[in-house]
Amino acid sequence: MEDRILAQADRIQGSGYRCGQVLASAVAGNKLMRMGMRFKIIAITFAVSLTVYVLTIGGFVYWQDSGMYLAAVKELGLTPATGFPLYIILAKLTTVIFSFLDFTITVHLFSAICGAAANAVIALTTYELFVYGAPFFGSAQKTHDQKSDLWAAICSVFGGLLFGFGFYTWSQAVNAEIYSMQALLSVLVLYFLMKLARFGPLELILTKEQMKLLFIIAAVWGLALGNHLMMALPFAGMFVYCLLINPHRKSCAKTLGIFCAVAFASFLLPYLYLFVPSKENYFYFGDLSSFSGILQYITGFQWTGRGGWFSFPLDRLADYPRIFYEQYMIGGLLCVGAGGVLFFKNYRKLFWALIVFCSLSLFGSWCYLHGGEYDMWIIPLFAALSFFSAYFIYVVRMRALSGLFAFAAVGNSIFVNYHIIDRSKYTYAQELGSNVLKNLDLNSILILSGDSHISTAFYMQSVKNFRKDVTVVVRDYLRVNWYLEQLQLVHKLLLPPQIFVPPGVDEAEAVTAELIRYNHATRHIFCIKRPDLLVDGVFAVPSGAFLKIEKKQQVELRYWEYKFSTADLSELKKSERKLAPKYTYYGDGSFDIQRRTYIETLIEFKAQSLLTLADWYFFMAQGSEKAQKKEDSLEFYKKAQGLYKRAVEMVPDGKNLNLMFAAATVSYKTGDYDSAMKYIDKYSELRGQQSPQEQLMSRPNLGQLFVILSEIHRSKGETFIAQIYQDKAKQFISNIPEVKTPVKEQGSK
């Protein structure tokens, strides 16, 4: 390779290109020494990364989409668009190779291998940049001796490890999701791009080595696109920038066309997998019955084609400083910032190429609103910034001091993140999946929403073979015809040939009502939220954290069986201060995010059990009130008040707007005016923290609370104050009604 680069450098030098002489001197050293150094860089970075990753992987499912991927790999099924076929194929192959290991551990091991490999490639790319330079971007290095090569290698390993032990990269390297493999594909594109940059500008006639590298870059980029479409914009922008700074860009049209064709073919190749799963597969989420269906599935048009998925939310933009801090900590941020300034001085064109890549990565994750994992979407951005962090250590003259600082920065990341990310005994998400299913009646239908509920339930059924008699229905997919066909074909659910959706009614609600109508007589049905449309003769009765569809108004309080001690709760309350939402120091200085998250999750579901029952009593009280059964009505209101009070004490920070509204209403109905006014004050405080759009949605409830305040003051003889509140109520609601059932408000917990 060095011989070809040297020959190319001589040609460049002869043509007058200013970096040719420097490039020639850079590659004229000991080839064997540098080959050995490359091997050591890869081996050390990969071994250290993989060792730490393996120590922190576990055999249990994690939150969000982790269970969906594990189920898809187990069943060789079809995940929701865009499918991620390359991940499923390679993860399945890993489970075959390591068939002697636990299935879940093996899939997590695949992510760990991808993450460690990505760190090693970053280190290798950085080393070769320091040694050989990048003449295409107008930069090259001075002649290196053996000591300089060794220092370049040390700094490169530092850059790879700082990236690998950041919070987001590490957390995905021990998780069954696509982002660790995405990091590997992204850094491979950067590696081959830097390799191509050693040849100088692209001319009309390219050498075989240049054409080979171009094809490799296109192929790997295509695979990265197939793994996650978020890689389209940043790499496209970077490639356009490279084309614009190429002095012979006008002669590159044919080469560009071939490049795009190779990338497109590579993008489509893994999608041949789509024809492997059959529609009878238990885990099949897609419509591949037509060309348009396949096209929508591959492009994700099922999501991107819906309105409201693109915007510029300021709250997400304000969240990025926290994300960068959590990834790098203070030492890493200093290296990236200072290194970026120094990099700009010596690698100006390459600096702008990386800035284009990073800016477009950030822009894509900011404006695309589908999904909440925008912090994971920018992991390739962190990979690009690794050049800056390594360069800062590389150029500092006091090598002993800078080396010590680099060691401290990496060590601090490991020390802080190890305890947070350690999944070796993390059973909480798996316990959630077990609790979701275990208390249901035999052969039940469970209508779910929310990633963690759905994902963990599918994992327990597919991987753990637990409660496969339960049919898990994803509520959000009830809007699409192919999913309804899947429910009828595989799960034998009954549905009418056509479903009428009343004007102004969510389609998923209309389908839920029909699903209940056609199946409640033969199967038990549970819902995570109260259906807005219920057929006559059935009721949504509280059952644990769910609502069970019953033919009679029987009330059954069934708490979920979570075990946690009073010591856990007291430690939760000892939380002294927050560095960032994901990091919490306890009073004794310990660092424990997992237990805190788990306890808060348990409290949330415990409160949900209370709320479903309290809402039920509220509903019964209103029915008795309309039937003029005052004694029954008061009794139901008192029961609801007690449950709401317990829920208020249980919900973290009391930040539940609907809960405060309901608690204020039932307190007023029972004559407990002091409590009602306290809840109204808290409601007003929480509403003030909402966005203008959310405040608009909550206007009816606020108007009803003003009515309550007016009646309270009127009962005390304070008619003037009562009239003021009544006038305020008229600003929010046209007619002054009696208090109604709480209206679900956007943005509330």
Side-chain angles (χ1 to χ4, degrees), residues 416-672:
V416 171
N417 291 325
Y418 189 97
H419 187 61
I420 299 171
I421 295 173
D422 184 13
R423 310 273 169 79
S424 58
K425 298 180 181 179
Y426 195 97
T427 62
Y428 307 143
Q430 189 155 312
E431 288 177 14
L432 170 64
S434 175
N435 278 285
V436 164
L437 296 170
K438 74 178 182 181
N439 290 323
L440 303 181
D441 297 306
L442 186 66
N443 201 33
S444 295
I445 299 171
L446 177 59
I447 304 174
L448 284 178
S449 57
D451 290 345
S452 291
H453 290 89
I454 297 167
S455 181
T456 54
F458 277 128
Y459 169 82
M460 292 303 297
Q461 290 187 319
S462 295
V463 179
K464 296 300 180 181
N465 203 30
F466 178 72
R467 293 303 307 269
K468 298 194 78 168
D469 61 289
V470 176
T471 298
V472 176
V473 176
V474 182
R475 181 185 176 277
D476 289 341
Y477 283 111
L478 293 177
R479 300 182 179 92
V480 290
N481 291 330
W482 60 260
Y483 184 62
L484 302 183
E485 294 174 2
Q486 177 75 0
L487 292 177
Q488 296 175 80
L489 176 66
V490 178
H491 302 287
K492 310 305 180 184
L493 297 190
L494 302 176
L495 285 169
Q498 291 185 334
I499 298 176
F500 171 71
V501 181
V505 174
D506 180 31
E507 189 172 353
E509 282 294 340
V511 177
T512 300
E514 293 301 315
L515 190 149
I516 292 172
R517 180 196 300 273
Y518 277 77
N519 295 276
H520 80 273
T522 56
R523 300 181 68 175
H524 299 284
I525 301 177
F526 293 83
C527 306
I528 198 169
K529 67 180 291 290
R530 185 185 301 278
D532 293 338
L533 303 175
L534 274 178
V535 297
D536 294 336
V538 298
F539 304 90
V541 178
S543 180
F546 296 131
L547 293 160
K548 184 179 181 181
I549 305 303
E550 289 283 3
K551 297 180 182 179
K552 56 183 179 179
Q553 300 180 19
Q554 61 180 27
V555 178
E556 175 189 4
L557 175 60
R558 185 193 299 169
Y559 283 132
W560 286 17
E561 297 176 2
Y562 285 117
K563 295 180 180 179
F564 55 96
S565 66
T566 55
D568 289 327
L569 289 175
S570 63
E571 186 165 357
L572 173 65
K573 295 176 182 177
K574 279 198 308 183
S575 177
E576 187 176 65
R577 66 187 179 90
K578 289 187 176 182
L579 298 176
K582 290 185 184 295
Y583 293 138
T584 302
Y585 269 123
Y586 290 105
D588 59 358
S590 63
F591 219 62
D592 192 341
I593 179 64
Q594 293 178 353
R595 190 188 305 181
R596 178 177 180 271
T597 302
Y598 180 47
I599 299 301
E600 286 184 350
T601 303
L602 302 188
I603 291 174
E604 179 184 344
F605 286 117
K606 197 79 167 180
Q608 184 62 39
S609 290
L610 292 171
L611 287 173
T612 53
L613 187 63
D615 288 346
W616 173 257
Y617 281 128
F618 196 164
F619 171 75
M620 296 292 290
Q622 289 182 317
S624 300
E625 197 172 30
K626 290 180 180 179
Q628 297 184 349
K629 297 178 180 179
K630 293 184 178 180
E631 293 183 0
D632 291 346
S633 174
L634 182 60
E635 183 67 23
F636 284 130
Y637 275 129
K638 286 182 178 179
K639 289 182 178 181
Q641 183 188 15
L643 292 168
Y644 281 133
K645 182 179 179 181
R646 290 169 61 187
V648 167
E649 296 170 351
M650 197 172 288
V651 174
D653 302 325
K655 292 183 177 180
N656 190 314
L657 209 60
N658 291 323
L659 175 56
M660 295 304 162
F661 172 81
T665 302
V666 297
S667 297
Y668 162 70
K669 288 290 189 178
T670 59
D672 187 357

Side-chain angles (χ1 to χ4, degrees), residues 124-141:
L124 178 62
T125 308
T126 308
Y127 170 76
E128 293 190 354
L129 174 65
F130 293 163
V131 172
Y132 298 119
F136 178 85
F137 296 103
S139 57
Q141 295 301 298

Side-chain angles (χ1 to χ4, degrees), residues 70-264:
L70 285 163
V73 174
K74 181 70 174 180
E75 304 283 345
L76 268 183
L78 209 62
T79 68
T82 57
F84 316 107
L86 183 62
Y87 173 85
I88 295 175
I89 294 169
L90 296 180
K92 186 67 174 181
L93 181 61
T94 306
T95 63
V96 173
I97 295 172
F98 296 95
S99 57
F100 53 91
L101 294 177
D102 174 76
F103 172 82
T104 306
I105 288 179
T106 307
V107 178
H108 289 160
L109 178 63
F110 170 69
S111 293
I113 293 172
C114 288
N119 304 341
V121 173
I122 286 176
L124 178 62
T125 308
T126 308
Y127 170 76
E128 293 190 354
L129 174 65
F130 293 163
V131 172
Y132 298 119
F136 178 85
F137 296 103
S139 57
Q141 295 301 298
K142 297 179 181 179
T143 304
H144 275 58
D145 55 23
Q146 189 170 353
K147 289 185 178 179
S148 298
D149 270 5
L150 178 61
W151 181 241
I154 292 172
C155 297
S156 301
V157 171
F158 159 73
L161 294 181
L162 185 66
F163 167 76
F165 293 130
F167 175 80
Y168 292 97
T169 47
W170 188 352
S171 66
Q172 292 307 298
V174 296
N175 195 21
E177 290 209 38
I178 64 167
Y179 299 109
S180 190
M181 191 175 76
Q182 187 66 19
L184 175 59
L185 293 171
S186 299
V187 299
L188 282 173
V189 174
L190 292 175
Y191 171 74
F192 288 112
L193 184 64
M194 295 301 171
K195 215 171 184 65
L196 180 64
R198 295 186 218 161
F199 289 92
L202 300 180
E203 299 180 0
L204 177 60
I205 301 176
L206 302 180
T207 66
K208 291 182 178 180
E209 191 67 26
Q210 286 177 309
M211 289 297 294
K212 176 183 174 182
L213 288 171
L214 272 174
F215 288 158
I216 293 175
I217 292 169
V220 178
W221 181 41
L223 293 175
L225 283 177
N227 192 56
H228 203 295
L229 286 174
M230 198 57 68
M231 284 297 94
L233 192 60
F235 275 119
M238 191 178 192
F239 295 151
V240 169
Y241 172 81
C242 292
L243 183 64
L244 292 176
I245 66 172
N246 184 49
H248 308 289
R249 56 183 174 274
K250 292 182 179 180
S251 61
C252 294
K254 182 179 179 181
T255 303
L256 181 62
I258 297 174
F259 180 88
C260 293
V262 172
F264 184 67

Side-chain angles (χ1 to χ4, degrees), residues 243-487:
L243 183 64
L244 292 176
I245 66 172
N246 184 49
H248 308 289
R249 56 183 174 274
K250 292 182 179 180
S251 61
C252 294
K254 182 179 179 181
T255 303
L256 181 62
I258 297 174
F259 180 88
C260 293
V262 172
F264 184 67
S266 178
F267 165 72
L268 291 179
L269 184 62
Y271 280 101
L272 294 175
Y273 165 80
L274 299 185
F275 303 101
V276 173
S278 66
K279 281 193 173 183
E280 288 74 20
N281 193 305
Y282 165 78
F283 199 84
Y284 192 94
F285 288 88
D287 177 19
L288 307 180
S289 59
S290 64
F291 177 77
S292 62
I294 295 174
L295 186 63
Q296 290 187 19
Y297 183 84
I298 292 176
T299 60
F301 191 77
Q302 176 182 342
W303 310 117
T304 58
R306 294 166 60 181
W309 288 120
F310 293 93
S311 184
F312 304 99
L314 296 180
D315 57 340
R316 182 176 287 192
L317 189 63
D319 203 30
Y320 285 116
R322 172 187 65 80
I323 294 173
F324 275 81
Y325 169 76
E326 290 175 353
Q327 171 68 15
Y328 287 110
M329 310 299 288
I330 296 298
L333 285 176
L334 178 62
C335 290
V336 171
V341 174
L342 297 171
F343 203 89
F344 173 75
K345 293 180 179 179
N346 296 289
Y347 293 90
R348 186 159 300 188
K349 290 183 178 180
L350 180 55
F351 172 85
W352 285 117
L354 294 174
I355 290 299
V356 168
F357 177 85
C358 293
S359 300
L360 292 176
S361 294
L362 207 63
F363 179 79
S365 69
W366 174 37
C367 67
Y368 181 49
L369 304 184
H370 177 66
E373 296 182 334
Y374 58 93
D375 45 3
M376 305 303 174
W377 297 344
I378 60 174
I379 286 179
L381 177 154
F382 298 139
L385 294 181
S386 299
F387 296 118
F388 297 166
S389 59
Y391 192 69
F392 171 71
I393 302 299
Y394 177 68
V395 298
V396 173
R397 293 184 178 180
M398 296 179 289
R399 291 184 175 180
L401 184 61
S402 61
L404 184 62
F405 181 82
F407 177 80
V410 173
N412 182 59
S413 291
I414 296 175
F415 174 77
V416 171
N417 291 325
Y418 189 97
H419 187 61
I420 299 171
I421 295 173
D422 184 13
R423 310 273 169 79
S424 58
K425 298 180 181 179
Y426 195 97
T427 62
Y428 307 143
Q430 189 155 312
E431 288 177 14
L432 170 64
S434 175
N435 278 285
V436 164
L437 296 170
K438 74 178 182 181
N439 290 323
L440 303 181
D441 297 306
L442 186 66
N443 201 33
S444 295
I445 299 171
L446 177 59
I447 304 174
L448 284 178
S449 57
D451 290 345
S452 291
H453 290 89
I454 297 167
S455 181
T456 54
F458 277 128
Y459 169 82
M460 292 303 297
Q461 290 187 319
S462 295
V463 179
K464 296 300 180 181
N465 203 30
F466 178 72
R467 293 303 307 269
K468 298 194 78 168
D469 61 289
V470 176
T471 298
V472 176
V473 176
V474 182
R475 181 185 176 277
D476 289 341
Y477 283 111
L478 293 177
R479 300 182 179 92
V480 290
N481 291 330
W482 60 260
Y483 184 62
L484 302 183
E485 294 174 2
Q486 177 75 0
L487 292 177

